[in-house]
Amino acid sequence: MPSRRFGLSGKLLLLTIPLVMIAEVLIYVPAIANFRMNRLNDRLAAANTAALVLDAAPSGMVPESLARQILTSIGARAVAIKLGQQRRLLASADLPAAIDHDIDMRTMTVWSAIVDSFEMMLESGNQAIRVIGPAPGGAQFIETVIDEMPLRKAMYRFSRNLLLVSLGIAVLTAALVYLALHFLFVRPMRRLTASLAGFHEDPENPARIIVPSQRGDEIGVAERELSDMQRDLVSMLHQKSRLAALGLAVSKINHDLRNLLASSQLLSDQLASVPDPRVQRFAPKLMRSLERAIAFCQSTLSYGRAQEAAPDRRLIPIEPVVAEVRETAGLASDASIGWINAIERGLTVDADPDQLFRVLLNLVRNAAQALEGRPRSDAATTQIRVTGRREGAVAILEVSDTGPGVPARAREHLFEAFQSSGRPGGSGLGLAIAAELVRAHGGDIQLVEGTIGATFRIVIPDRPVELLTIRNERARA
């Protein structure tokens, strides 16, 4: 089994302890220097007191035994004072042969105090040091000779005590910081991580969506954003599953429907030989509709989805297409719905005739179904109006009706599949198919606001033509 790596909590703990120790080291360095300076100042203060006692003796003479007791009490070997140009030795006992170090407290700096402190702790042996400092009264300075070993031992004891206190503070601080970070950050992060892992295992299960807390910081924002993202993904996956199931069903239906349409096409071929004028009139249109249906079913079976082929664009007159749409929608013989054709005479559109037919047929059928759903008591005029005009290199077609209009809830996803159906039983595919076909032509389709009923505007631009090609064609002509 691979060794388990430290989690976020362990890393925080391992990081907190050395950081606290670094802070303690930064505190220890000036502290040890300050401890040494205080000890030396204490020695100078004791030496000043001893100097006053020794100087107050009659004739300045002190018995050797008393002088030795005084020096032992202040921890010094000698005490001297300088008055004017004269340096006077007040008391001495067991003076060393040589002085190893001189320390002048009058000119001591912070850096030199720190350096001298560590040098003293790293040395060995009992060396003699002379400490010089200011003297009371009219004296210039006072100096005392002391042993280095007692001071070094005192510095070691201070360092040990400070180290123990620092370790205790470090452990306590690390524990407090660890607990604070654990409850404030680590636990919420574990919750986010667990939610991500659980959602990854079953992304279609709404129960795996995280419930955001009421925190107002960045973690609370992350929880709310994650919850919204998971909800969107669940909704999207449900829609994808529905589309996949629908695609499979459509493929099965198209397989059988293609065979039925092929049989109907054979029957329509036989109808073409019937001499009846009415049959001769409608047979070509029936055959054309069957051919379109068979071709569309075949394309669905070939690609496994309703993938539209690239439009076969050419300049076509729009009026015959509109007339065929009216007849296919059954409005030519329906007197209950009025039909107004307001297309400019001779208007041509650079489009695929079959795809443009499907676009207009979807819009006209939607308009007819909206008019059929109106209450019988409504005395308003029921009509469908198709207009067309050209603005430069752009053809504009509009299909409008006098129905109740598009519901507000359907306008948000008007041209999305399975989203825009505003009537019971509707699949919501008509406008999505129309929008896909129009955009394949480089055009646009939109709902015109502020009109009676619903008005859909289709804008199809002409294809750009190279001038060199036109000039060559004219030259050949």
Side-chain angles (χ1 to χ4, degrees), residues 7-17 178 181-182 185-186:
L8 187 58
S9 301
K11 292 179 180 178
L12 286 175
L13 183 61
L14 293 178
L15 182 63
T16 303
I17 293 178
Y178 170 78
L181 294 178
H182 179 76
F185 300 105
V186 177

Side-chain angles (χ1 to χ4, degrees), residues 352-419:
D352 185 317
D354 291 336
Q355 293 189 1
L356 184 59
F357 171 84
R358 291 173 58 192
V359 172
L360 295 175
L361 181 60
N362 278 316
L363 295 178
V364 169
R365 279 181 174 170
N366 285 347
Q369 291 169 356
L371 293 174
E372 291 173 357
R374 294 180 58 177
R376 297 294 182 182
S377 59
D378 195 346
T381 304
T382 57
Q383 66 179 17
I384 297 175
R385 181 184 180 91
V386 181
T387 62
R389 66 184 184 277
R390 175 169 286 278
E391 295 182 0
V394 177
I396 300 177
L397 304 175
E398 291 184 355
V399 178
S400 59
D401 60 72
T402 57
V406 179
R409 63 182 180 85
R411 298 191 180 197
E412 299 179 359
H413 307 281
L414 192 58
F415 299 104
E416 297 180 14
F418 310 110
Q419 299 289 335

Side-chain angles (χ1 to χ4, degrees), residues 439-473:
R439 289 165 186 161
H441 287 76
D444 185 36
I445 181 172
Q446 59 183 349
L447 175 67
V448 180
E449 302 289 344
T451 61
I452 300 175
T455 299
F456 288 90
R457 178 176 297 160
I458 303 170
V459 179
I460 299 180
D462 295 343
R463 290 170 297 172
V465 180
E466 295 183 3
L467 294 177
L468 181 60
T469 303
I470 296 178
R471 289 173 183 172
N472 293 335
E473 291 179 355

Side-chain angles (χ1 to χ4, degrees), residues 316-322 340-349 385-398:
I316 57 171
I318 192 60
E319 291 181 342
V321 178
V322 173
I340 299 178
N341 188 342
I343 298 176
E344 291 182 355
R345 180 173 299 179
L347 177 64
T348 58
V349 181
R385 181 184 180 91
V386 181
T387 62
R389 66 184 184 277
R390 175 169 286 278
E391 295 182 0
V394 177
I396 300 177
L397 304 175
E398 291 184 355

Side-chain angles (χ1 to χ4, degrees), residues 137-274:
Q140 294 183 359
F141 62 84
I142 189 172
E143 55 184 348
T144 179
V145 178
I146 62 176
D147 292 331
E148 190 180 43
M149 182 63 71
L151 179 58
R152 185 184 302 117
K153 291 182 178 179
M155 293 175 68
Y156 285 150
R157 287 193 301 270
F158 175 80
S159 300
R160 183 181 68 252
N161 295 335
L162 184 60
L163 177 61
L164 294 177
V165 174
S166 300
L167 287 176
I169 295 175
V171 173
L172 180 60
T173 304
L176 293 177
V177 172
Y178 170 78
L179 292 176
L181 294 178
H182 179 76
F183 285 102
L184 289 177
F185 300 105
V186 177
R187 286 184 61 184
M189 290 300 297
R190 285 181 177 175
R191 183 166 174 263
L192 286 174
T193 305
S195 177
L196 288 172
F199 188 79
H200 179 264
E201 294 177 357
D202 189 6
E204 296 187 11
N205 187 1
R208 298 297 180 93
I209 298 176
I210 188 174
V211 179
S213 62
Q214 301 299 322
R215 297 178 57 156
D217 54 8
E218 288 78 2
I219 292 182
V221 174
E223 290 176 346
R224 288 188 288 273
E225 292 295 330
L226 177 61
S227 177
D228 294 340
M229 182 190 69
Q230 289 176 337
R231 293 183 187 278
D232 293 341
L233 286 175
V234 169
S235 177
M236 186 181 301
L237 290 174
H238 285 171
Q239 184 177 356
K240 295 293 185 183
S241 299
R242 181 183 175 187
L243 289 175
L246 180 61
L248 179 60
V250 168
S251 297
K252 294 178 180 178
I253 293 172
N254 278 338
H255 182 271
D256 295 335
L257 183 60
R258 182 191 58 177
N259 297 331
L260 296 175
L261 291 175
S263 300
S264 300
Q265 189 178 30
L266 294 177
L267 295 176
S268 64
D269 291 339
Q270 296 178 6
L271 286 176
S273 60
V274 176

Side-chain angles (χ1 to χ4, degrees), residues 308-342:
E308 303 294 344
D312 182 15
R313 302 181 65 174
R314 55 184 180 273
L315 280 176
I316 57 171
I318 192 60
E319 291 181 342
V321 178
V322 173
E324 188 177 0
V325 167
R326 182 185 180 188
E327 292 181 358
T328 305
L331 299 177
S333 58
D334 190 354
S336 62
I337 299 178
W339 179 271
I340 299 178
N341 188 342

Side-chain angles (χ1 to χ4, degrees), residues 54-62 88-90:
L54 294 173
D55 189 54
S59 303
M61 297 299 294
V62 178
R88 179 182 175 187
L89 180 63
L90 298 179

